[in-house]
Amino acid sequence: MSADQDREGRRTAALFAAHSPALSRFLSRLLGSPEMVADIAQESFARLLGITRTKPVQDERGLLFTIAANLARDHLRQRARRPEIDIDQIAWSLPSDAASPEAALDSRRRLELLRQAIGELPPRSREVFLLFRLDGLSYRQIADRLGISPRTVEYHIQHALAFCHRRLRERAPYSAPPQRP
């Protein structure tokens, strides 16, 4: 390791130690999700370090928080635009012993449509989606397992949700999801 790399590593560690707790609290108030807080904090530090390598910055802390706020706003805007499929609600609609034959048939048909839609996803999106929904892994765990970034994980999950939502609307347009009792 060169002296410059060693200095840069110590500088990065000092920057992280000095600002990470406050940045995490700030992002928690904006986002709530611990996984997204960690992802956006990491991305914020990476962007700050990229900027400070090329030019001096007077207020690193201020720039760090500005970067984080912008990334958080972008994330919240994207989340607001995305359709959500409530797989739990579909699972809840599975027939019980008391269900009518029509309700049981409709539930089975909707579940089969969802299975087909998942099967039509591109392989990587399907893999990420199933690791998230069936295995219950976090974005970070999926990213580490597949060697991709958490942002890429988020993209694949949102792509899968939007795709499945579209397919269910196309193939079962008149079947409203049942309400929980």
Side-chain angles (χ1 to χ4, degrees), residues 1-168:
M1 178 185 293
S2 74
D4 287 339
Q5 289 173 324
D6 187 44
R7 259 191 312 278
E8 183 68 20
R10 279 184 279 151
R11 185 178 156 291
T12 300
L15 187 66
F16 185 80
H19 302 300
S20 183
L23 184 65
S24 293
R25 285 190 304 273
F26 171 72
L27 289 171
S28 291
R29 285 191 302 273
L30 294 175
L31 300 168
S33 163
E35 290 88 12
M36 285 314 303
V37 167
D39 290 345
I40 290 180
Q42 179 181 359
E43 180 70 20
S44 300
F45 276 106
R47 288 188 184 192
L48 176 66
L49 291 171
I51 291 169
T52 60
R53 278 191 193 110
T54 60
K55 61 183 172 188
V57 173
Q58 289 289 342
D59 182 12
E60 287 182 335
R61 185 180 195 279
L63 181 56
L64 175 67
F65 276 74
T66 299
I67 292 168
N70 289 337
L71 289 172
R73 266 194 298 279
D74 288 347
H75 170 74
L76 292 172
R77 252 192 311 262
Q78 287 174 353
R79 190 170 69 188
R81 287 192 306 249
R82 292 179 227 149
E84 297 264 342
I85 296 177
D86 189 352
I87 291 182
D88 294 332
Q89 186 173 0
I90 292 172
W92 181 264
S93 70
L94 292 174
S96 70
D97 293 337
S100 70
E102 295 83 16
L105 182 61
D106 185 56
S107 294
R108 285 191 188 102
R109 187 176 66 80
R110 288 176 56 76
L111 186 59
E112 183 54 34
L113 289 174
L114 181 58
R115 279 192 188 115
Q116 288 173 6
I118 291 170
E120 293 171 10
L121 287 168
R124 180 61 88 163
S125 292
R126 182 175 49 245
E127 180 181 23
V128 168
F129 181 73
L130 293 175
L131 287 171
F132 179 69
R133 278 307 208 171
L134 294 182
D135 296 347
L137 298 180
S138 70
Y139 285 16
R140 169 70 51 211
Q141 291 168 322
I142 295 168
D144 291 344
R145 181 180 286 189
L146 300 179
I148 58 178
S149 74
R151 285 240 194 237
T152 303
V153 171
E154 180 182 14
Y155 164 80
H156 283 294
I157 290 170
Q158 296 312 315
H159 171 74
L161 287 171
F163 181 85
C164 290
H165 184 18
R166 261 193 326 275
R167 284 294 191 256
L168 288 174

